[in-house]
Amino acid sequence: MLTLTLAFRNILRNRRRSLLTLLSMGGGFFLLCLTLSMSEGSYSNIINIFTQDHTGHVQIHKENYLERPSLYKTINQSNAIIEKLEQQSSVLSVAPRIYGPSLAYGKNKTFPAQVIGIEPDREANTTRLKSKVKQGEYLTDGANNDGYYSAMIGYSLAKNLKLTVGDELVLISQGIDGSIANDIFIITALVGDASSYERMNVYISLTAMQMFLSMQSGEQSQVHELAIKLSHQGEARAFAMNMQIQLENSLLRVEPWQVVESSFFNSMQADKKGSYVSMGIIIFIVSIGVLNTILMGTLERTREFGVLKAIGARPTAVFYLIMLESFVLAIIACVIGLILSLPVCIWLASSGIPMPEPIDMGGIIFDTMLGEVSWFVVLLPTVVVILSTLLVSFIPAMRAAKISPLKALQAV
Amino acid sequence: MTITTQTDTAHKVINMTTKSEETVIETKQLCREFGQGDTLVKALSDANITIERGEFTAIIGPSGSGKSTLLQLIGGLDNPSSGDVFLDKKNISHMTGTELSDFRRDHIGFIFQAYNLIPVLSARENIEYIMLLQGVSASERKKRVDMLMHAVGLEGLGDRRPAELSGGQQQRVAVARAMVSKPSIILADEPTANLDSKTGADLLDMMKDLNEQQNMTFVFSTHDPKIMERARRIIRLVDGCVVDDERKA
Ligand SMILES: Nc1ncnc2c1ncn2[C@@H]1O[C@H](COP(=O)(O)OP(=O)(O)O)[C@@H](O)[C@H]1O
Ligand SMILES: [Mg+2]
């Protein structure tokens, strides 16, 4: 207790210097916290926008489907799995999908198209597909009075085939039983634009798709993919691992978006390294200031350390005293930093800064830089400030601990 | 008085043992040199000094005669060039590091010319600190600080910082700090040099009282005749050599 008192009073001894150091450390904390908040917030934002475009946070496939998609790699009895997934508290929604590469016939043109069978409501809850309808009405489940199912068609494909809402679309593909699949659909909507993911896709309802490709429906329903939206993107990895175990089906693979969209994830990680460089520079500048304070503080107290050692303080006791002073200083700096940064971070997280120019990443638009408030954003600067302070105090502390009491006593 | 009986011899043996147990300090051929070649300075040459428990000894001599050097060697602040220092029968000449730190903490009390109190600690805390290093319990610490504040006549001033005390008062705190660890000996290098003669004399009287009442062993250096006359034993140094060692009745 007396040692702590001693440490505190030593900090208070040169108030102005300690205050300046504290402000620079607290300022460093503030900058670190803000940088982190902005970068984490932006990444969260990007991840949210990205995963809600079409990927979802977690996907389930038959094994190897991602590496080599195939009509035959199906998830069987998918309804039971969907039911199980929807019981999980962290799951917001699940969207089943069937993929069938087909030939699409327009007015008098043919184009290859990715035909995707979806459950309209579930898909709308999981991704932003519904909001991307540019013309017409979002997909519905049943057939029309004439027995035709409806289809939504991507912007570019529609343009290439010279089709628009109300036109007939003929699709030809191969059924799962080896038969030739072909059918007529009525275009009820155009989705996306020339640069979005949907541009060459055709969406029909899951029921229509299962009939089209002669796949099992109902109890035995077969699909290729289950896209899952969680309450928070940060849970994706843990959820996927946990679910993989729970499914007890060795032929299915549960994978987080980091794996499904690995190239996007990797480029994002590389980008993150850039912000660590700027944080390193902040740490360096603050550390120099702290080093200066600790060095001055120990140098001018050389004689006192001599007295402490003469009356029997061990070298380690002197060492710990200086480290304790630095630690106390660092803790106070963190408190100051926290008081400065929390309100700003909270404001950034709720309002954000509008970007001077919106960024378009593959049809996904970012127009606001959002901050984030999380344990990570607060704890990392705390750990960094404390560790770097202790690190720069190490040399002055060693110096004072090793000093000969006689020499120190003769110092002025 | 040359007739010795059986019992007398036995008595003498007992006396011898108790007597030798009472030796606090013994130096043997103690030397300390500084520099080398042309600049070699023999700060202390072949000092053989024995100090018994309860003695009140002054080391006197002109400036540069080696008083500080002797006290530093005895107190384990410096290592001799040759010779040995025995403190409580332990040879400390070759001790270093933590061993020496702990030995100083438990066996030696220091009083410096420049008081050397820790400026950010109050008088009481300055006294308490060394007990903290020793691991003395809080209640015992309080008891001993109270007792010593009383003994050095500073009751009621315990919460003052050194800067709020006069030189004489600061040196009294330093005496209390030196006493608090219950050392075997207290070494004081010119404790009165920074004080006016009246205050210095008062401090010495107080140290002498502590010496008599608590049987605390003191060795102090001085070149002030008024101070040295209070000692019961005077060791005179000239150019690093012990030239005189005189006990008063
Ligand atoms: N660290 C040192 N380096 C070189 N010479 C020293 C050192 N300390 C003391 N001396 C010399 O040793 C001699 C004795 O010094 P000291 O013990 O301080 O004398 P006193 O305390 O009696 O004035 C002096 O000549 C002094 O110059
Ligand atoms: Mg001297």
Side-chain angles (χ1 to χ4, degrees), chain B residues 8-20:
Chain B
D8 266 340
T9 323
H11 219 102
K12 208 173 177 184
V13 169
I14 292 163
N15 248 338
M16 284 280 287
T17 43
T18 44
K19 180 106 184 161
S20 59

Side-chain angles (χ1 to χ4, degrees), chain A residues 118-137:
Chain A
I118 57 171
E119 278 189 32
D121 290 343
R122 286 210 154 98
E123 192 67 38
N125 288 335
T126 310
T127 65
R128 280 193 311 276
L129 185 63
K130 188 172 182 177
S131 68
K132 284 193 265 188
V133 171
K134 287 284 143 59
Q135 213 181 321
E137 296 285 328

Side-chain angles (χ1 to χ4, degrees), chain A residues 406-407 410, chain B residues 32-35 39 41-44 59-72 78 189-190 221 223 237 239-240:
Chain A
L406 206 54
K407 286 216 182 82
Q410 278 150 5
Chain B
R32 180 67 168 106
E33 296 166 352
F34 292 103
T39 59
V41 178
K42 285 199 143 201
L44 195 69
I59 296 179
I60 65 167
S63 182
S65 57
K67 304 184 293 292
S68 298
T69 304
L70 176 61
L71 286 172
Q72 285 153 8
D78 197 8
D189 193 4
E190 309 216 21
S221 68
H223 51 242
L237 287 179
D239 290 338

